[in-house]
Amino acid sequence: MPPLAERIRTLAHTASATKVTVDDVPYPVSGAVDGRGRPVFLVRPGETLHRMREDSVVALTLCATRMLGETAHPRGTLEVQGWVQAVPENEARDAAVAVAAQCADEGLFEAIERYGAPDAPRLLRLDVGQVVYLTGDDSGILDADEYLDATPDPLAETAERVIAHINGSHRTQLSLGMARLLGRPAGQVWLWELDRHGATVRVDATLVRVAWDRPAQSGRCLETALRGLLCTC
């Protein structure tokens, strides 16, 4: 398995912000994480969060899901606790791109073009204090340094494309391969996670981890390792 902090950073990289909680009151938001792993989110004029002062203590929830057929299944939830900051003007475009990758919104353009105007949408981010994570049966807390010093799996974007392709076109081969590995019929099979250290396959309601002989060093190596799991007979 990848190191814990890397797993959580990778999960955050693919997650969407769903709410910000201030003084135990939740507010829905659209957001994601930036290149350094800090949550960024969009707020509009008239919303309570638009008037929020900097350095307010908040908790932002990030949710990562996996589409299995037509249904979204939760992969993990992260609660990032920290202090609100305004995204600086020279970083606003990059922050908007990060948010748009998870949830496109026309307000992002206005937040850039009318930056600083009192009646314009604002881009805010969190100065991370700690991250509470819940992924399957695993839960715990990472402090800011553990979380921010980690980097996402360098093959994460390739892995997400491969997962979508396998689940869309090659589930039969995956099912046969898992049946061969488990020594029994595999039932409903989906590729759940994929990284340079191995693959996690959802067999009915159980997650089965399959480790590679050695870590994949490139997208091509990752695809080669995965082909060994598929049954092409």
Side-chain angles (χ1 to χ4, degrees):
M1 291 286 285
L4 174 61
E6 179 183 307
R7 286 166 49 205
I8 301 307
R9 273 297 307 273
T10 303
L11 193 68
H13 180 69
T14 60
S16 298
T18 58
K19 66 179 178 180
V20 169
T21 302
V22 185
D23 295 330
D24 296 324
V25 179
Y27 300 93
V29 295
S30 297
V33 298
D34 64 14
R36 293 183 57 191
R38 299 169 298 189
V40 291
F41 57 100
L42 179 72
V43 293
R44 295 176 175 78
E47 296 178 347
T48 300
L49 298 180
H50 191 271
R51 303 187 299 273
M52 186 167 48
R53 62 177 177 79
E54 293 195 44
D55 293 329
S56 295
V57 178
V58 305
L60 181 143
T61 301
L62 293 164
C63 292
T65 60
R66 173 77 64 217
M67 291 299 299
L68 303 183
E70 300 297 321
T71 305
H73 293 258
R75 296 165 56 208
T77 301
L78 309 177
E79 183 183 87
V80 185
Q81 301 169 355
W83 301 268
V84 170
Q85 299 175 330
V87 174
E89 186 171 8
N90 65 334
E91 299 178 31
R93 185 171 298 277
D94 287 343
V97 169
V99 174
Q102 296 296 335
C103 41
D105 191 305
E106 291 184 359
L108 294 167
F109 295 102
E110 189 177 359
I112 296 171
E113 294 170 358
R114 303 184 60 230
Y115 184 93
D119 60 344
R122 299 177 68 195
L123 282 164
L124 303 177
R125 72 183 180 202
L126 255 62
D127 179 12
V128 177
Q130 64 179 17
V131 178
V132 181
Y133 62 89
L134 174 61
T135 59
D137 295 330
D138 196 9
S139 62
I141 299 175
L142 293 178
D143 66 29
D145 289 340
E146 290 176 300
Y147 172 76
L148 295 172
D149 288 347
T151 56
D153 185 333
L155 302 181
E157 292 187 6
T158 298
E160 288 299 313
R161 291 195 298 270
V162 171
I163 289 171
H165 177 66
I166 295 297
N167 285 340
S169 303
H170 298 289
R171 286 182 58 219
T172 298
Q173 293 95 319
L174 180 61
S175 181
L176 291 171
M178 290 304 296
R180 181 182 58 193
L181 180 67
L182 298 172
R184 59 174 175 80
Q188 289 289 320
V189 172
W190 301 87
L191 186 55
W192 184 252
E193 302 287 357
L194 182 64
D195 56 68
R196 68 184 190 278
H197 294 276
T200 301
V201 181
R202 178 171 167 144
V203 181
D204 295 321
T206 302
L207 297 180
V208 179
R209 181 69 180 180
V210 181
W212 310 140
D213 292 336
R214 55 182 179 274
Q217 300 299 317
S218 66
R220 183 182 295 273
C221 291
L222 187 64
E223 293 175 8
T224 299
L226 183 59
R227 278 198 293 271
L229 184 59
L230 303 178
C231 182
T232 57
C233 52

